[in-house]
Amino acid sequence: MSDKINNNFSVRFASLNDIPTILKFIKELAAYEKLENEVTATEDILREWIFEKNKCEVLIALENNIEIGYALFFHNFSTFLGKAGIYLEDLYITPNYRGLGYGKKLLKEVAKIAVERGCERLDWQCLDWNKSSIDFYLSLKAKEMKGWISYRLSHESLKEFACR
């Protein structure tokens, strides 16, 4: 992709060589979200699920060829529309590079990919206490999905339910 956005900022798809950087960013994002104890990902796990099983894609954001953030996304599907969408799992810019418009530019790259692929939606979640991110998303004309509550089965409860 190497689509130059301005003189200093660019975005490219991640490669196998980026696995340590992706894991570093995941851990930094988890710390920011006060969820660092939930990270169990390893380089081997990321290699398997991102690059071998192709279950998601990662864009790396760079300033002057230095990795400063990432976006991790995958396709979902709307039965109502009958079309795929993109679900943005992570959007992260390192603290020293925030406030420069790079998060918006990185999100715009994901949106461009969605449009190029014929997707009708770009979905994501945000923690309810993250006012700066909420304000940012609302400024883009993103809509809060009122009336929807997220649910999750994971770890032991997932295994227990699957085996009943």
Side-chain angles (χ1 to χ4, degrees), residues 121-147:
R121 292 181 178 167
L122 174 57
D123 297 310
W124 65 91
Q125 294 181 336
C126 181
L127 292 168
D128 60 4
W129 57 261
N130 193 342
K131 182 168 174 19
S132 63
S133 290
I134 291 168
D135 291 345
F136 166 62
Y137 298 139
L138 292 175
S139 78
L140 304 176
K141 298 184 181 172
K143 300 217 181 328
E144 180 182 346
M145 298 299 296
K146 294 187 186 285

Side-chain angles (χ1 to χ4, degrees), residues 20-106:
T21 301
I22 296 167
L23 184 56
K24 177 180 84 90
F25 287 153
I26 289 170
K27 290 178 179 180
E28 288 177 12
L29 176 60
Y32 171 75
E33 293 180 340
K34 300 168 183 61
L35 298 169
E36 56 267 78
N37 60 327
E38 294 190 24
V39 176
T40 59
T42 65
E43 289 184 19
D44 288 338
I45 289 171
L46 295 178
R47 180 178 296 103
E48 176 184 0
W49 286 90
I50 297 172
F51 295 101
E52 293 171 13
K53 293 183 176 183
N54 298 311
K55 296 300 180 183
C56 66
E57 298 173 73
V58 178
L59 295 177
I60 300 292
L62 304 107
E63 184 187 70
N64 295 322
N65 295 318
I66 297 170
E67 294 90 354
I68 63 162
Y70 79 116
L72 186 145
F73 61 93
F74 52 88
H75 285 275
N76 57 14
F77 191 83
S78 169
T79 55
F80 289 8
L81 295 176
K83 293 184 176 183
I86 286 183
Y87 184 83
L88 178 66
E89 179 69 23
D90 290 346
L91 179 72
Y92 178 75
I93 299 292
T94 56
N96 292 343
Y97 294 92
R98 292 186 190 148
L100 302 173
Y102 293 158
K104 184 176 184 177
K105 290 175 181 181
L106 183 55

